[in-house]
Amino acid sequence: MDDNTGPSRRPTLGDRRKERIDALATAGTVVDEPGKSLLRSAWERLRRDPVFLVGAAITLVFVVLAIISPWIAPWDVTANPLIDKVRPQSNPVPGPEPGHLLGADDRGRDLFSRLLVGSRQTLVVGVFATLLGLLGGITLGALAGAIGGFVDTVVMRIVDVMLSFPALLLAFTIASLAREPSQWTLIIAIATTQVPIFARLLRGSMLAQRSSDHVLAARSLGVRPRAIVFRHMLPNAMGPVIVQATLSLATAIIEAAALSFLGLGNPDQRQPEWGQMLGLAQRYISEAPHLAFYPAGCIIVVALGFTLMGESLREALDPKSRR
Amino acid sequence: MTQTSDAPDVLVEVTDLEVYFPIKSGIIFDRTVGHVRAVDGVDLSIRRGETYGLVGESGCGKSTLGKAILNLEPPTAGSVVFDGTDIASLKGEDLRHARKRFQMVFQDPMSSLDPRQTVESLLLEGLRAHGLDTDTDATRARLRELMSDVGLPVAALSKYPHEFSGGQRQRIGIARALSVGPDLIVADEPVSALDVSIQAQVINLLQDLQDKLGLTYLVVAHDLAVVRHISDRIGVMYLGALVEESGGAELYDVPLHPYTRALMSAVPVPDPQVEDTREQILLTGDLPSPANPPSGCRFHTRCPWKQETLCDTERPQLRVVEVSGASDSHRVACHFAEKIASGEIQRHEVEATITTPGFGGPDAGPTAPPEAYIGV
Amino acid sequence: MTQATQHSSRPGAGSSEPLLSVRDLRVTFQRQGEEEFHAVDGVSFDVRPGQTVGLVGESGCGKSVTSLAIMGLLPGRGNRVSGSAIFDGEDLLTLSPSAMRDRRGSEIAMIFQDPLSSLNPVISIGRQVTEVMERHQGLSRKQATPKAADLLERVGIPDPKARLLNYPHQLSGGMRQRALIAMALACNPRLLIADEPTTALDVTIQAQILALLKELVVDTGTALVMITHDLGVVAGLCDEVNVLYGGKVVERGGRHGLFRDPRHPYTVGLLNSIPRLDAARGDKLSPVPGSVADNLPWTAACAFAPRCSNAIDPCTAETPQWEGDQVVGFRCFNPMGGTR
């Protein structure tokens, strides 16, 4: 080893060095203003994202209309003012006329009013089904992800079994098990199909958190296990679940419509619902396609609104796009 | 080893520590088909107030050893006696309370800080966990003190980790470790994720804190120059075991193990004159798989001083050797250390082989999962 | 087919015509709703055949972007490149994408930091090496295979014939980097750009790879641009060193000159920041204070001024100009050792 030449002489920095370093706290500058959390910076990004704005606008219009629909609907949805014009042979579905913007259905009920009020049931089913699914999914996923081991294996096998059924078939089975169909059987059926998705997602991201450095750091600090789960793992694992929930609202609405279409929705046929309207429309699909077109269009636009919101939310919360 | 664990200046006494990771295989039922021997029988002692540097290449088990000493990675066997208590056998609340006295500083300052918490709540967490936040005023004063200790302005308390530069984040990580007032800090590659100029700032900070607070450090790093700069004593690891241990200066002046010599000669020195004149010992081949370590001396497959006898049959133990310049605290695990030092045994060529059975050629046996080799 | 590379000069002939001549290279990133960011801000340097030129600096200094811009590998959108990079009489920056593709891999090759992500995980090593030769030299796979085995042997991969059948994940990090170098060498490039080729590797493996690169430059007369953050690597390998800071070259010099007599305070600061194996314990390091977040814009100041211990009044008022030529020089109002 003859690399023992020793360091060659190098000029040392000037005399001013010491004072300059003292003046400039060695760590560099820290801007003196309150910190900005990740959520806040994500929100600031979202506010400028046109995709999010379009999605949010659609959703907002839909929600507001659903809430105020009973008051702004020009006709009572159960009344049949145009029943006189219905001719089962020649004119089963009366067309538009003054006072009836979109005409009426085969029972002479004002189509526009039914479309407006129909949004309520769709929204209620979609939101409650997703919330319920979220609750179940978070419980199962958090249990599996936080405890691990045997609990994880059992929970995940159950979830796998649930996932192996096609969602609609599962919902169909559950809805038909109920003694009599109602709005709530619909909600529970759809929620059940959402549970495994949320559970899997949360469990996966909890596991990722569990092996992350900051959780190890909390462990090494001596933080209580409960606090580690609730303060560190769960909040950091929720991002993808929230995004999925937004996207799930769209599928829940579509599934709700599909189940109603199949006659598993609210048994009270007088109360409008988009899927149910779509189901009634199929008899007249050749003579009066508009009867199917309007509820279908509503379902698509609303689902699109939620999807756009979910996608832009995903982007905003993506750690890779953080600066 | 008959090291006296009750010697007054020893803070940590590690005896026969082993950490094995099972390699699982199977479709329905996981079968353990082997073990990755990340740490395979390590004895070392850290004295109060000193800096012990653990150096080695990736896969040598140094990080696992660091975590196992803190019982963040449960040891498979062996004991870690910290100031009279065996940490390795502690569990649950006892372990959690004991953690107050030994802390860790992580390699990646970004991923080791919870992105959702302000610096203040990060620092409060440790205080709360150990019931040290009883008095609001005292807590505030403590936070200010921590900030000034690590050279950050008090304004930083209300900010989030992503709003800092890499060096500043590492300072926050250090402040968190200090918050509970530990005696021992295990720093796992504390500067390797940082830029050169920032590295030096953090190294100086660690040294200043040691002087001020009387801390004991175990610094785990792959960079021999960094380790040499901050350590009083250095242990060199190869494939899960210590191959040499001595005082920093002595290790540099009188390296006894062939691996230490190769490692030392491979470190680039920012001085062209040194670079042009020095002798390089280039090792051939790769690190063997820790799942299937070579028989005898683990280094014999790559050793330029390998002998026909002993090396591939008998595993050498750490021992003190009689070589001029080597003190009696200088231990080396090599059968022929004296003869290599005296020049009686000369270097020879080593044929390079792919030394990762089970992971190498197409004709190899059961393939171990790649994870087994990553980050061990 | 440019296989028969006519290296006009012998290795080490430093006075010959530059093979690559980069002038006033600027790369500006523009992201929607954000301020422009000058990643590379007027970089000029020459590379001669058989010469190793180092671009050294810390993260964010623009060294990697420089190499990507020369190779035409920057993403198509969101950036603006200006200046010139004359390679063998042609400006690489104005070449069409297809013409650039022909140069890449045959006349100019690049080695990246992370060998695992630079190799295709589902194609065997042999196939990846022969592909380059098929693409640029018009060889058939049969003709290329023995050559690929020769290449692997040349870069020090034991049992090369068997390794041709391996997939990247079956090789260790060092072996992968060797395979990547073999791919880069497949068509005898005249210019090799290595972007932190050893950063992901262990020191003993790094030493092997650096020795290999050194040998290649001497044997083939290939010009090498070495991009690294490690001044130690530079000291052992590079003939000429360019120190980058904030997108500009702040100092340039020959290997010995620069390390013996650094002029720019940043270079000095870097050298003083590095713990040295041959220095005694207890010597305090003297780091550069602050971080790159403290930089000033080059437009009306020296970017380094806020962190500089030698800063004087003009440093925060004017842009320092280049003092020197294409061989040695610095960009500083108040260099170490006075202005002379």
Side-chain angles (χ1 to χ4, degrees), chain C residues 268-290:
Chain C
V268 178
L270 269 188
L271 286 167
N272 286 335
S273 295
I274 306 171
R276 286 183 57 162
L277 202 52
D278 50 5
R281 182 188 188 262
D283 291 1
K284 265 266 167 146
L285 300 172
S286 6
V288 184

Side-chain angles (χ1 to χ4, degrees), chain B residues 57-58 195-198 200-201 204 208 225 228-232 252 268-270 272 275-276 283 286 352 354 359, chain C residues 58-59 163 169-170 172 202 204 206 208 236 255-256 259 273 275 277-279 281 283-285 287-288 290 307:
Chain B
E57 297 180 282
S58 54
D195 269 326
V196 179
S197 65
I198 312 295
Q201 294 176 6
N204 281 356
D208 290 345
R228 155 104 165 101
H229 183 83
I230 52 177
S231 306
D232 301 296
Y252 179 77
V269 177
E275 281 286 317
D276 288 351
L283 293 181
D286 300 321
I354 295 273
F359 196 46
Chain C
E58 299 178 285
S59 52
R163 296 286 87 77
H169 73 93
Q170 292 174 305
S172 68
D202 280 320
T204 57
Q206 165 173 287
Q208 296 171 7
R255 173 163 77 116
H256 289 278
F259 282 91
S273 295
L277 202 52
D278 50 5
R281 182 188 188 262
D283 291 1
K284 265 266 167 146
L285 300 172
V288 184
R307 304 177 66 191

Side-chain angles (χ1 to χ4, degrees), chain B residues 306-375:
Chain B
K306 185 206 160 202
Q307 296 302 298
E308 294 303 317
T309 54
L310 279 177
C311 288
D312 54 354
T313 53
E314 197 172 315
R315 192 170 168 192
Q317 296 300 312
L318 276 181
R319 62 196 175 94
V320 176
V321 290
E322 300 235 349
V323 170
S324 72
S327 66
D328 58 1
S329 66
H330 192 151
R331 300 190 296 161
V332 61
C334 175
H335 297 300
F336 299 99
E338 293 93 339
K339 289 184 177 168
I340 292 171
S342 67
E344 201 176 312
I345 297 176
Q346 287 297 317
R347 238 166 87 196
H348 53 74
E349 288 286 310
V350 182
E351 184 141 341
T353 44
I354 295 273
T355 45
T356 46
F359 196 46
D363 52 341
T367 310
E371 305 89 77
Y373 296 89
I374 297 168

Side-chain angles (χ1 to χ4, degrees), chain C residues 20-317:
Chain C
L20 173 73
S21 182
V22 177
R23 285 293 171 276
D24 203 27
L25 180 72
R26 280 166 205 277
V27 181
T28 308
F29 288 108
Q30 169 77 66
R31 273 213 276 175
Q32 206 181 5
E34 283 168 30
E35 266 179 57
E36 286 192 341
F37 173 63
H38 304 279
V40 180
D41 200 0
V43 164
S44 307
F45 63 93
D46 287 337
V47 189
R48 296 183 166 74
Q51 194 187 24
T52 302
V53 172
L55 301 184
V56 62
E58 299 178 285
S59 52
C61 74
K63 54 191 192 300
S64 288
V65 177
T66 301
S67 67
L68 292 175
I70 294 170
M71 291 293 280
L73 290 173
L74 285 172
R77 282 196 305 169
N79 64 66
R80 219 172 45 238
V81 181
S82 69
S84 67
I86 310 291
F87 176 79
D88 205 15
E90 280 176 317
D91 187 355
L92 296 177
L93 300 185
T94 58
L95 282 182
S96 71
S98 74
M100 195 61 221
R101 268 199 299 279
D102 286 337
R103 305 285 182 294
R104 259 196 322 257
S106 63
E107 293 183 60
I108 311 174
M110 192 155 175
I111 308 169
F112 294 91
Q113 173 176 351
D114 182 358
L116 186 57
S117 62
S118 316
L119 290 165
N120 187 334
V122 295
I123 299 178
S124 70
I125 296 289
R127 202 60 203 102
Q128 298 194 46
V129 179
T130 54
E131 228 168 39
V132 185
M133 289 190 270
E134 287 167 41
R135 159 90 171 80
H136 290 293
Q137 301 183 330
L139 298 178
S140 70
R141 200 193 297 191
K142 238 190 193 133
Q143 291 169 306
T145 306
K147 288 194 170 210
D150 289 348
L151 271 174
L152 292 193
E153 185 159 25
R154 185 161 138 215
V155 297
I157 296 182
D159 196 8
K161 285 214 178 62
R163 296 286 87 77
L164 286 177
L165 302 173
N166 282 167
Y167 289 86
H169 73 93
Q170 292 174 305
L171 300 181
S172 68
M175 286 299 153
R176 278 182 215 133
Q177 194 58 283
R178 284 169 193 267
L180 212 62
I181 293 175
M183 276 170 70
L185 295 178
C187 297
N188 301 317
R190 298 161 67 190
L191 176 65
L192 194 59
I193 300 180
D195 188 356
E196 303 266 10
T198 57
T199 306
L201 306 174
D202 280 320
V203 269
T204 57
I205 309 294
Q206 165 173 287
Q208 296 171 7
I209 299 289
L210 291 179
L212 172 66
L213 285 174
K214 214 185 265 184
E215 195 185 300
L216 287 172
V217 170
V218 172
D219 288 357
T220 62
T222 305
L224 176 65
V225 175
M226 183 77 185
I227 294 164
T228 178
H229 70 281
D230 190 336
L231 280 167
V233 169
V234 170
L237 190 66
C238 299
D239 303 313
E240 183 190 295
V241 187
N242 293 280
V243 181
L244 271 74
Y245 189 82
K248 277 187 192 297
V249 177
V250 293
E251 181 160 14
R252 166 181 306 140
R255 173 163 77 116
H256 289 278
L258 186 97
F259 282 91
R260 193 177 50 240
D261 188 18
R263 303 297 307 278
H264 198 283
Y266 177 62
T267 315
V268 178
L270 269 188
L271 286 167
N272 286 335
S273 295
I274 306 171
R276 286 183 57 162
L277 202 52
D278 50 5
R281 182 188 188 262
D283 291 1
K284 265 266 167 146
L285 300 172
S286 6
V288 184
S291 72
V292 280
D294 304 317
N295 283 4
L296 293 174
W298 278 111
T299 42
C302 169
F304 185 60
R307 304 177 66 191
C308 179
S309 55
N310 257 22
I312 49 175
D313 290 341
C315 298
T316 49

